[in-house]
Amino acid sequence: MTCCEPVAGQSLLDLTFAGLERALVSAGLPAVHTRALWRALHHELAAELPARTDFVPPLQRWLREQVGEGKPFTVAMPTQVADIASGDGLTRKFLLRLADGQTVETVLMAYDGRHTACLSTQAGCAMGCVFCATGQMGFVRHLTPGEIVAQVRHVQLAQRTAGKPGLRNLVLMGMGEPLHNYDSVMAALEIISDRRGLNLGPTKITISTVGVAPGILRMAEERRPYQLAVSLHGATEEERSALVPASRRWSLAELMAACRTYFAQTGRRIFFEWTLIAGVNDSTAQAGRLALLLAGLDAHVNLIPLNPTGGFAGGPTQQAAAKAFQAVLKDAGFPSTIRQRRGIDVAAGCGQLRAEKTRASGGKPAA
Ligand code: SAH
Ligand code: SF4
């Protein structure tokens, strides 16, 4: 079964435009009606499709007969469990409950007048990065395309209700490893970037990966038009695999070879993420090794002082050491940004809100 075959109770949000068209045509409807339904779903963000009276009668009938509880299709939207704003008002974090009770986090950030949503791609994560709250909880399951699309809808609707502008940017930096859930993520991004619907420009969408080398190569081969960010955190095999266990599966050498192939095939800048942990990976010598590793690439480094988590003893690098690290990169010709640890009062690190809610409910997933 592929992600987009119509099966009982499948969410219409799982379907790409072509998938929705196939579903209508196989029910005997003309393909031309796809556009109106797509617009209602992904542009108007309508929820009550079977009640609509403005579609052509055959489409209205199909919706009444096929969409709803106990019918072949649904429009599955998650339930909001928490909606917490940071003290500075610039970050809003949603905890969303999916149909099977799993919870995922979606974050809305409003910096410099640009609205960015940070999406989850899995419940939990199998990669086990030692400093990450999601890694500490382990892998639960992949999200479907519709569950990823629904997070964007949720944020867009929240913005609309608050009279705020729509989203401009998306980052896949919430819970989970996007390239471990490749097919669902790519289907979701095709839906989200479709100009007839949510219409988020592909170059405004960033996929962040722990370094799944085969996924990076596949993105290049398939000419996926999204931005790529690679989480490094260490510039030698030994230092990296102490923080990122997945590095034993896809070594640093294999990862950097994939990045070079990606760059050669796409000509695109690659973003590299480096979580700065005091006394662990924040020396100027380590910055020098990072610069050597990146030689020849068009690279931008995002330096993220650690958000402390329950399961890891390390602390964040202080500003002066972060600046010294940055200066070494600059001397080697690499631009970098030190990310503010904003919204820390809303447990801004990936997976931290779910972890907190799970602890508060005695170890069961937040309900
Ligand atoms: N799985 C993907 C995307 C989700 S994590 C990846 O690892 O890239 C998004 C980013 O947040 C990664 O760079 C990750 O290393 C970083 N991150 C995770 N936990 C963090 C924490 N506690 N403090 C700072 N950065 C963290
Ligand atoms: Fe997974 Fe990314 Fe967290 Fe690592 S940092 S455990 S890959 S979500």
Side-chain angles (χ1 to χ4, degrees):
M1 186 182 74
T2 69
C3 69
C4 302
E5 279 172 24
V7 292
Q10 184 177 27
S11 174
L12 287 180
L13 300 181
D14 281 335
L15 303 180
T16 59
F17 190 91
L20 185 64
E21 189 172 80
R22 274 197 299 276
L24 293 186
V25 168
S26 68
L29 285 160
V32 70
H33 296 330
T34 313
R35 198 174 267 264
L37 181 53
W38 184 266
R39 192 181 154 77
L41 270 173
H42 297 294
H43 184 75
E44 297 165 26
L45 309 180
E48 290 306 318
L49 293 171
R52 300 264 301 225
T53 52
D54 56 334
F55 293 134
V56 293
L59 183 56
Q60 284 184 42
R61 197 173 325 114
W62 184 81
L63 288 167
R64 275 199 308 275
E65 287 167 4
Q66 300 291 318
V67 182
E69 248 191 82
K71 298 185 177 159
F73 294 99
T74 60
V75 182
M77 281 298 285
T79 315
Q80 186 173 289
V81 179
D83 170 5
I84 304 171
S86 62
D88 60 11
L90 295 176
T91 311
R92 197 169 159 191
K93 186 157 203 163
F94 303 100
L95 186 66
L96 304 176
R97 189 171 58 233
L98 308 172
D100 65 348
Q102 284 303 320
T103 50
V104 293
E105 299 177 11
T106 306
V107 182
L108 168 64
M109 296 164 288
Y111 306 145
D112 315 323
R114 283 196 310 262
H115 290 83
T116 302
C118 177
L119 307 184
S120 294
T121 56
Q122 297 176 320
C125 182
M127 302 297 153
C129 303
V130 296
F131 52 83
C132 169
T134 308
Q136 289 158 14
M137 70 183 71
F139 178 71
V140 182
R141 70 169 175 86
H142 295 303
L143 299 194
T144 61
E147 288 169 337
I148 299 168
V149 172
Q151 295 173 62
V152 180
R153 277 170 65 99
H154 190 88
V155 176
Q156 290 288 49
L157 286 167
Q159 286 290 90
R160 205 181 267 182
T161 308
K164 300 262 174 69
L167 289 171
R168 284 269 305 277
N169 302 282
L170 279 188
V171 291
L172 274 57
M173 294 184 186
M175 298 167 69
E177 167 49 44
L179 299 186
H180 182 212
N181 187 16
Y182 191 95
D183 291 333
S184 290
V185 164
M186 294 305 161
L189 294 184
E190 191 181 327
I191 296 166
I192 291 164
S193 58
D194 191 295
R195 299 173 74 102
R196 297 158 290 200
L198 287 159
N199 191 24
L200 271 131
T203 58
K204 308 278 184 198
I205 298 175
T206 302
I207 297 177
S208 174
T209 177
V210 72
V212 181
I216 293 172
L217 294 174
R218 195 169 157 198
M219 277 182 68
E221 266 159 36
E222 295 175 356
R223 301 255 175 273
R224 299 287 174 179
Y226 314 110
Q227 306 288 346
L228 175 66
V230 176
S231 299
L232 274 183
H233 315 308
T236 65
E237 299 284 359
E238 198 185 350
E239 286 177 3
R240 185 166 192 262
S241 50
L243 297 170
V244 180
S247 203
R248 292 188 203 109
R249 176 135 177 225
W250 303 287
S251 68
L252 189 57
E254 184 184 351
L255 170 59
M256 293 315 295
C259 289
R260 284 177 197 288
T261 304
Y262 178 93
F263 180 59
Q265 288 187 0
T266 65
R268 270 208 214 104
R269 161 171 289 193
I270 302 177
F271 295 84
F272 289 92
E273 292 160 279
W274 189 280
T275 294
L276 284 168
I277 308 169
V280 173
N281 66 352
D282 64 349
S283 70
T284 49
Q286 282 158 320
R289 287 200 285 275
L290 170 59
L292 284 178
L293 199 64
L294 301 180
L297 285 170
D298 181 0
H300 183 109
V301 181
N302 285 322
L303 300 166
I304 317 156
L306 178 79
N307 265 308
T309 55
F312 180 65
T317 296
Q318 297 308 307
Q319 188 71 0
K323 290 246 186 253
F325 194 99
Q326 185 173 40
V328 174
L329 294 177
K330 187 168 181 227
D331 283 348
F334 293 108
S336 64
T337 312
I338 301 174
R339 292 263 174 243
Q340 303 295 321
R341 291 192 306 138
R342 295 212 223 214
I344 192 154
D345 52 340
V346 295
C350 121
Q352 283 176 254
L353 181 59
R354 173 176 152 140
E356 271 182 14
K357 292 267 168 189
T358 304
R359 271 196 300 277
S361 62
K364 293 186 283 300

